């Protein structure tokens, strides 16, 4: 784990102001859209039908792609959960994060996208996995801009599909259906039901819903009606059966899974059904037209608890998976639907990443970030892409950094830091700060197999200098 030099917090390009204003003093358009941001956990780029060759059934997501924008060059904030989510919530890429390991959490001084939308009088709610602020009353969802909160609090809670506890507005509640070894209440369905109930409520203000599923992250488990749809080649996962660990993750995921491939496929199909339920309710309520819906994943696919990303070609056509800074670890599916603005389906090739979400929402909600105290983002609004006449964005550098930490069974050498950056079609990667520079044309070579660093020394040097600037 590394912590950046505090001096960097004063770098240019950061929206930080001292002026305090009240939301009541600001005027906004009356037709601001509802916003629903749906975040999955460890879903690979090629694990939904809209992106190509997969046996996994995702008809609702495919329909969403056919009615909106399929972004083919969108990226998560990091290759593991916590820094990716902090990047999403705060609008910062790895250059402006104080900690790029999986131990990072929100600070009490952070301004989140929920805080920003409160300036435009949005009602704000979070349903699902949180895991990035475990100081109750200081960095829990209610303290970080959400009016309503239901779901999983800690990072460890988010790894169980049939939890025995949940949290509602800061209070722990029992899930009795899952006590005594029973599996009666599936976490993802609980999140969905809460979100639907919220959407149906009468209100004067537009709403912002974050629906943060904790699936298809391990453990591998799903109601049988979803997994039984699949007959796939299987290698049973034995977990800790007989006291012998199946793999390095077995102590954490000890329960055997007879059909891990069918189970994981069923987990994704379940998520697809839940998205379909959300859109159906919006349509019934007459709210679908002016609701912006975004669907994505927090990082690449995992190989934990019996999951086999190679079987599904989960990252295809990209190389790597979760914990990699090759594109397979950070290049994610990104679907956007907004019927009021996007009437012609298209595939968009503009590169962008999680840090851009906060300024995009501010733009859509007509919130001037220059008058929001303490906001600190180096993301760029992509609101100009979310229509049928998209604006061409200027080329810029996208940056990622991953620092390995104690407690991750796949960490390797504790303290190792990986770096990656993209500018246009060029992608540079360095595994450890003493490692060799690798340079790829990520569009022509998505598998990152042809290292062009020696052929383009000037360009390689530019990326090297960028990596050196942010390595400390």
């Amino acid at each position: 784990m590394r912590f950046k030099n505090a001096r960097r917090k004063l770098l240019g390009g950061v929206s930080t102001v001292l002026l305090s204003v009240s939301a009541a003093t600001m005027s906004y358009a009356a037709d601001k859209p509802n916003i629903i941001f749906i975040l999955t956990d460890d879903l690979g780029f090629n694990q939904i039908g809209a992106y190509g060759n997969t046996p996994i059934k995702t008809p609702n997501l495919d329909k969403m792609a056919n009615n909106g924008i399929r972004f083919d060059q969108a990226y998560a904030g990091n290759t593991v959960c916590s820094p990716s989510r902090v990047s999403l919530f705060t609008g910062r890429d790895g250059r402006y994060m104080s900690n790029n390991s999986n131990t990072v959490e929100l600070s009490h001084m952070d301004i989140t996208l929920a805080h920003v939308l409160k300036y435009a009088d949005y009602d704000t709610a979070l349903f699902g996995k949180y895991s990035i602020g475990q100081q109750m009353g200081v960095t829990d969802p209610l303290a970080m801009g959400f009016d309503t909160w239901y779901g999983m609090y800690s990072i460890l809670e988010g790894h169980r599909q049939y939890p025995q506890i949940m949290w509602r507005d800061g209070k722990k509640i029992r899930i009795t259906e899952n006590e005594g070894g029973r599996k009666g209440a599936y976490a993802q369905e609980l999140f969905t039901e809460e979100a639907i109930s919220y959407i149906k409520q009468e209100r004067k203000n537009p709403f912002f819903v974050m629906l943060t599923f904790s699936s298809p992250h391990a453990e591998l488990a799903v109601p049988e009606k979803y997994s039984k749809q699949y007959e796939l080649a299987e290698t049973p996962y034995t977990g800790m059966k007989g006291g012998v660990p199946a793999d390095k993750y077995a102590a954490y995921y000890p329960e055997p899974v007879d059909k891990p491939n069918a189970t994981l496929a069923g987990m994704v199909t379940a998520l697809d059904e839940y998205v379909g339920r959300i859109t159906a309710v919006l349509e019934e309520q007459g709210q679908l037209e002016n609701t912006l819906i975004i669907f994505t994943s927090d990082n690449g696919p995992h190989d934990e608890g019996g999951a086999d990303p190679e079987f599904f070609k989960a990252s295809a056509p990209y190389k790597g998976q979760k914990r990699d800074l090759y594109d397979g670890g950070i290049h994610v599916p990104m679907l956007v639907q907004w019927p009021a603005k996007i009437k012609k389906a298209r595939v968009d090739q503009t590169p962008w990443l999680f840090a851009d979400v906060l300024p995009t929402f501010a733009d859509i909600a007509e919130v001037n970030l220059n008058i929001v105290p303490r906001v600190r983002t180096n993301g760029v609004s992509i609101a100009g892409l979310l229509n049928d006449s998209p604006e061409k964005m200027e080329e810029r550098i996208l940056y990622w950094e991953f620092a390995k930490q104690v407690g991750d069974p796949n960490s390797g050498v504790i303290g190792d830091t990986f770096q990656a950056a993209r500018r246009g079609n060029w992608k540079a990667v360095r595994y450890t700060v003493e490692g060799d520079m690798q340079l790829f044309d990520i569009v022509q070579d998505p598998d990152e197999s042809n290292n062009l660093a020696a052929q383009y020394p000037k360009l390689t040097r530019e990326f090297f200098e960028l990596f050196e600037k942010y390595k400390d």
Side-chain angles (χ1 to χ4, degrees):
M1 179 176 65
R2 301 185 314 111
F3 292 89
K4 297 286 184 95
N5 190 324
R7 178 176 59 85
R8 186 161 300 126
K9 295 182 179 179
L10 301 178
L11 288 176
V14 180
S15 300
T16 304
V17 297
L18 300 177
L19 178 64
S20 178
V21 298
S22 167
T25 67
M26 307 171 74
S27 61
Y28 300 98
D31 60 349
K32 295 185 295 290
N34 300 314
I35 301 174
I36 301 178
F37 194 98
I38 302 172
L39 184 65
T40 59
D41 199 335
D42 294 5
L43 179 69
F45 181 83
N46 192 44
Q47 286 186 296
I48 59 176
Y51 281 91
N53 182 24
T54 179
I56 302 175
K57 304 168 187 175
T58 56
N60 293 294
L61 292 169
D62 299 347
K63 181 179 178 181
M64 184 176 172
N66 291 333
N67 290 325
I69 305 173
R70 190 189 82 195
F71 284 97
D72 278 8
Q73 302 295 328
Y75 288 88
N78 208 297
T79 188
V80 291
C81 170
S82 294
S84 188
R85 290 163 189 258
V86 171
S87 174
L88 171 64
F89 272 63
T90 63
R92 302 171 192 152
D93 72 12
R95 287 170 286 192
Y96 289 81
M97 297 272 288
S98 62
N99 173 3
N100 281 298
S101 82
N102 213 23
T103 62
V104 68
E105 295 184 357
L106 292 168
S107 159
H108 71 285
M109 294 293 287
D110 283 335
I111 297 299
T112 70
L113 36 71
H115 284 129
V116 168
L117 289 174
K118 292 304 294 181
Y119 276 81
D121 294 328
Y122 272 74
D123 296 336
T124 57
L126 186 147
F127 305 104
K129 176 179 174 179
Y130 184 58
S131 81
I132 52 173
Q134 298 182 54
Q135 290 181 278
M136 194 67 72
V138 180
T139 56
D140 67 88
L142 298 185
M144 301 310 290
F146 292 95
D147 306 319
T148 299
W149 161 39
Y150 174 87
M152 296 166 163
Y153 190 29
S154 74
I155 194 167
L156 298 184
E157 290 172 15
H159 294 174
R160 297 293 173 248
Q161 303 297 335
Y162 291 94
Q164 296 182 31
I165 62 165
M166 287 282 192
W167 295 81
R168 186 186 299 280
D169 295 337
K171 296 181 180 179
K172 187 182 294 187
I173 58 176
R174 292 169 59 181
I175 308 299
T176 56
E177 299 94 326
N178 294 336
E179 294 179 348
R182 292 178 294 168
K183 295 182 178 180
Y186 190 54
Q188 319 312 318
E189 186 148 7
L190 294 177
F191 304 152
T192 304
E193 290 171 350
E194 291 285 333
I196 287 173
S197 177
Y198 181 83
I199 290 167
K200 287 182 175 180
Q201 294 174 14
E202 291 187 9
R203 55 174 50 82
K204 296 180 180 179
N205 299 327
F207 63 75
F208 167 51
V209 167
M210 286 203 77
L211 179 54
T212 55
F213 291 118
S214 56
S215 173
H217 193 297
E219 63 182 347
L220 299 190
V222 72
E224 186 182 4
K225 67 178 180 178
Y226 299 108
S227 59
K228 73 179 183 181
Q229 299 179 32
Y230 295 95
E231 290 292 336
L232 305 170
E234 300 283 2
T235 299
Y237 174 71
T238 56
M240 288 296 294
K241 189 175 182 179
V244 179
D247 59 19
K248 59 188 172 185
Y249 301 111
Y252 194 67
Y253 302 111
E255 189 169 339
V257 183
D258 290 339
K259 296 182 177 181
N261 290 335
T263 301
L264 190 139
M267 293 169 79
V268 178
T269 294
L271 296 181
D272 178 82
E273 181 179 303
Y274 302 147
V275 172
R277 291 186 198 176
I278 295 289
T279 55
V281 168
L282 289 168
E283 191 162 20
E284 291 168 6
Q285 298 289 113
Q287 299 186 81
L288 184 61
E289 178 74 10
N290 199 30
T291 297
L292 167 63
I293 307 174
I294 300 176
F295 175 93
T296 189
S297 173
D298 66 350
N299 49 247
H302 67 89
D303 62 355
E304 303 165 26
D308 184 359
E310 291 298 320
F311 174 84
F312 288 103
K313 297 181 174 59
S315 300
Y318 301 105
K319 176 181 180 177
Q321 60 182 53
K322 181 180 180 179
R323 300 184 181 86
D324 285 319
L325 285 185
Y326 295 119
D327 260 35
I330 53 177
H331 201 136
V332 292
M334 183 74 72
L335 305 177
V336 177
Q337 179 177 315
W338 186 4
K341 298 290 185 180
I342 305 166
K343 300 184 183 299
K344 299 177 182 178
R346 76 173 191 273
V347 176
D348 194 293
Q349 302 294 342
T350 307
W352 62 283
L353 77 173
F354 274 13
D356 300 332
V357 174
L358 183 149
T360 299
F361 286 177
D363 202 354
I364 289 169
E366 302 178 29
V367 177
N368 183 350
L369 290 179
N370 291 321
I371 56 174
V372 178
R374 301 197 318 275
V375 72
R376 183 173 180 270
T377 173
N378 64 333
V380 173
S381 172
I382 65 149
L385 298 177
L386 305 182
N387 57 68
D388 291 333
S389 300
E391 300 172 6
K392 183 176 176 58
M393 295 184 64
E394 293 184 7
E395 185 177 274
R396 60 192 169 117
I397 292 174
L398 310 182
Y399 179 87
W400 301 268
E401 185 177 302
F402 173 44
K404 294 189 170 183
Q405 81 288 343
V406 176
D408 184 341
N410 200 32
S411 269
V413 178
I414 305 304
D416 277 355
T417 299
F418 302 165
Q419 293 170 289
R422 176 172 172 173
R423 189 182 73 196
N425 290 0
W426 293 105
K427 166 94 180 288
V429 181
R430 181 168 72 168
Y431 273 61
T432 79
V433 294
E434 292 83 23
D436 294 334
M437 291 292 296
Q438 302 174 56
L439 180 69
F440 307 100
D441 182 331
I442 195 63
V443 174
Q444 298 298 320
D445 180 27
D447 190 46
E448 293 172 270
S449 58
N450 185 19
N451 184 2
L452 301 174
Q455 297 180 40
Y456 295 90
K458 183 176 182 295
L459 184 57
T460 301
R461 182 70 189 179
E462 291 174 2
F463 278 113
F464 174 79
E465 291 173 355
L466 174 74
F467 288 171
E468 286 293 293
K469 181 177 181 180
Y470 291 103
K471 71 178 183 179
D472 297 325

